[in-house]
Amino acid sequence: MKFLGKRPAPTGAVANATTRQRGNAAEDQALAYLQAQGLQLLERNYRTPGRGGGEIDLILRERGGTVVFVEVRSRSSNAFGGAGSSIGAIKQQRVVFAARHYLLRYASPPPCRFDAVLIEGQVQWIKAAFDAQ
């Protein structure tokens, strides 16, 4: 059903932010958290060229050399399954596609994994959240 009326205006600074602004704020929070854990930023918002490609929110390197591809998800509540449930199969495929494209720059690809950082009031880091299948 299409909503034809005017939606009530949310209150507060965060509620007035655009989706992009909220997403950037979540990525900032996730990046600060991961850097505090010792990871080093390699790329932010990496996109493959052309239409229908993929995008990776954060690409970092662990001290041991593992490249970590991170999907950041933020939700104000855990209704509808929360932030984690929004990383479905299609999103995972797009992240994996972008990661494969990114890894082409290496003569010998390093070990890597796919993590998720979920922000629902607090930061939750899920290592190896999904595989490249």
Side-chain angles (χ1 to χ4, degrees), residues 26 29-30 72-75 83 117-124:
Q29 188 177 1
V72 178
R73 290 298 175 138
S74 176
R75 295 291 184 267
V117 172
L118 311 178
I119 302 174
E120 294 172 320
Q122 62 184 21
V123 177
Q124 180 183 9

Side-chain angles (χ1 to χ4, degrees), residues 2-133:
K2 193 172 185 177
F3 186 83
L4 300 175
K6 217 175 183 185
R7 296 187 190 276
T11 59
V14 174
N16 291 330
T18 66
T19 301
R20 182 177 301 274
Q21 289 169 327
R22 287 190 303 269
N24 287 340
E27 286 178 13
D28 290 343
Q29 188 177 1
L31 178 58
Y33 179 85
L34 294 171
Q35 286 177 323
Q37 305 304 312
L39 281 75
Q40 175 188 12
L41 179 66
L42 298 175
E43 297 267 351
R44 185 169 177 167
N45 298 119
Y46 177 81
R47 295 178 190 276
T48 58
R51 295 185 66 204
E55 188 246 342
I56 302 171
D57 295 328
L58 301 170
I59 304 175
L60 301 107
R61 180 180 296 126
E62 287 186 317
R63 287 186 183 116
T66 299
V67 173
V68 182
F69 301 101
V70 180
E71 179 64 19
V72 178
R73 290 298 175 138
S74 176
R75 295 291 184 267
S76 58
S77 76
N78 60 5
F80 306 107
S85 67
S86 69
I87 307 173
I90 292 172
K91 181 60 181 177
Q92 290 177 29
Q93 289 171 357
R94 289 184 175 159
V95 170
V96 169
F97 178 81
R100 287 185 174 136
H101 185 270
Y102 178 83
L103 290 170
L104 291 174
R105 65 182 63 193
Y106 291 93
S108 177
C112 61
R113 70 168 189 265
F114 298 92
D115 291 2
V117 172
L118 311 178
I119 302 174
E120 294 172 320
Q122 62 184 21
V123 177
Q124 180 183 9
W125 179 17
I126 302 173
K127 294 181 180 182
F130 57 93
D131 294 320
Q133 297 206 8

